[in-house]
Amino acid sequence: MLTKEYRIPMPISVSEYKIGQLYMIAKHSNEQSAEGEGVEVVANDPHEDPQHGPGQYTEKRIYLFSRLPQWIRSLIPKIFYITEKAWNYYPHTTTEYTCSFLPRFIINVETCYEDNAGTNDNALNLNEGQLSAREVDFIDIAYDDISPKHYKAEEDLKTWKSEITGRGPLAQDWMKSDFQPMMCSYKVVSVCFEVWGLQTKVEDYVHRAIREILLVGHRQAVAWLDQWLNMTEKDVRKYESEMHTVTNEKVLYQPTVVASPISSPVDADQPEVATPTRRSWFSWS
């Protein structure tokens, strides 16, 4: 098992991010989804926890076969998805990722948010063994390298400026400055893939992918600040529900090949017509 603690400072407050987190996840999931691949929302319900109080439980299926390296694709079925289960008791969340095709694969993520620049050395109350095993990785949402396929000029925080708040652009040393407001997303991520000969390679690959997702998602949360800052929780829940519907339609879209009911020598060599239909994942099982 490979454990890393990602610390992601952002120029917003924890109270503001309660709305921003929901907006970013809904919009980001929709942007990253395409026909047949992406994020399908299975459940999104209120949940009560005896320790953390009221919160929200979500369950999603993440379809990403074509985005995997060839050496991983050779090991798994083409009809492949990862199940995400998340319990959000803001400012604390717990997330679990599993795959029915790979029973020895699991990712656990513990998250908390604090109003600081990542200066708390044990924000998630890890024990001595966990502290010694983890690797701390600061993510700079403005200056860390980002994949060209994810780069958008309007999301470049080196040039971004919020019209509503006046925040931005972010200078080179913004994380070490007295920039206010400032919060940090602390994420302890444990990746376990217990398959002999592949464990280290897969766990390293998954962490690289997770880091890129965290970098993109958190810089988008800040770049989209003016879109969500004045939303109420009721507003963002409505937006979230609308985005879930749109995203599910994209992910569950499947073209069905329908042959013409009447054939003739004239049209015998014509291609069959693909008629779009939407099919639930459960119809495949």
Side-chain angles (χ1 to χ4, degrees):
M1 182 168 66
L2 182 59
T3 300
K4 294 188 178 185
E5 179 178 313
Y6 298 97
R7 299 184 189 178
I8 311 121
M10 293 184 286
I12 52 182
S13 68
V14 171
S15 60
E16 290 173 335
Y17 193 55
K18 185 175 184 180
I19 301 297
Q21 174 207 37
L22 298 174
Y23 182 91
M24 177 271 287
I25 291 173
K27 184 172 180 177
H28 177 85
S29 295
N30 183 57
E31 284 196 347
Q32 295 300 309
S33 298
E35 292 180 2
E37 289 207 345
V39 181
E40 174 197 359
V41 181
V42 178
N44 185 23
D45 304 306
H47 190 270
E48 188 83 20
D49 182 81
Q51 178 181 353
H52 299 292
Q56 198 81 3
Y57 168 76
T58 59
E59 182 175 338
K60 302 174 183 177
R61 289 175 178 160
I62 305 170
Y63 302 85
L64 39 58
F65 183 85
S66 72
R67 304 184 188 190
L68 298 173
Q70 180 59 42
W71 62 271
I72 291 183
R73 278 186 272 172
S74 65
L75 303 174
I76 59 177
K78 188 171 183 179
I79 304 171
F80 166 82
Y81 66 86
I82 291 173
T83 298
E84 175 196 279
K85 296 181 179 180
W87 295 262
N88 187 348
Y89 308 103
Y90 197 86
H92 184 276
T93 66
T94 298
T95 312
E96 176 188 274
Y97 298 88
T98 56
C99 178
S100 59
F101 299 112
L102 300 169
R104 295 184 179 182
F105 172 73
I106 186 168
I107 304 172
N108 286 306
V109 185
E110 291 290 334
T111 304
C112 74
Y113 308 105
E114 294 186 354
D115 283 313
N116 57 53
T119 53
N120 188 340
D121 202 42
N122 193 9
L124 285 153
N125 298 313
L126 304 181
N127 60 40
E128 288 300 320
Q130 292 169 320
L131 288 172
S132 61
R134 73 173 180 185
E135 174 186 331
V136 176
D137 184 352
F138 276 86
I139 295 179
D140 187 335
I141 57 175
Y143 287 88
D144 280 0
D145 291 336
I146 189 168
S147 170
K149 67 182 179 182
H150 290 138
Y151 178 82
K152 294 181 181 178
E154 63 270 24
E155 296 171 3
D156 190 334
L157 302 181
K158 297 188 293 293
T159 57
W160 160 84
K161 187 173 182 65
S162 165
E163 293 183 4
I164 295 177
T165 66
R167 300 173 203 171
L170 300 183
Q172 182 74 47
D173 60 348
W174 74 277
M175 293 197 304
K176 299 177 181 178
S177 68
D178 295 327
F179 197 104
Q180 290 295 327
M182 177 81 80
M183 66 162 283
C184 183
S185 173
Y186 292 86
K187 291 183 176 289
V188 173
V189 182
S190 298
V191 179
C192 183
F193 185 70
E194 296 181 342
V195 176
W196 186 86
L198 290 172
Q199 181 170 1
T200 300
K201 189 173 185 178
V202 170
E203 290 177 357
D204 283 342
Y205 168 78
V206 171
H207 266 290
R208 290 197 303 272
I210 288 172
R211 193 186 195 283
E212 179 78 4
I213 291 168
L214 295 176
L215 173 59
V216 173
H218 287 79
R219 66 188 272 142
Q220 287 179 330
V222 175
W224 297 339
L225 176 64
D226 289 352
Q227 299 176 31
W228 57 258
L229 187 62
N230 292 326
M231 281 185 164
T232 64
E233 188 163 352
K234 182 178 179 180
D235 293 334
V236 79
R237 288 297 182 190
K238 181 174 182 287
Y239 175 81
E240 185 181 48
S241 178
E242 292 170 350
M243 284 294 99
H244 288 171
T245 300
V246 172
T247 302
N248 281 1
E249 288 181 348
K250 290 166 68 174
V251 175
L252 299 176
Y253 175 93
Q254 292 290 337
T256 299
V257 176
V258 180
S260 173
I262 301 175
S263 60
S264 70
V266 174
D267 59 21
D269 294 328
Q270 297 302 310
E272 295 175 326
V273 179
T275 302
T277 63
R278 296 187 182 100
R279 292 195 290 175
S280 167
W281 169 261
F282 298 105
S283 67
W284 288 52
S285 43

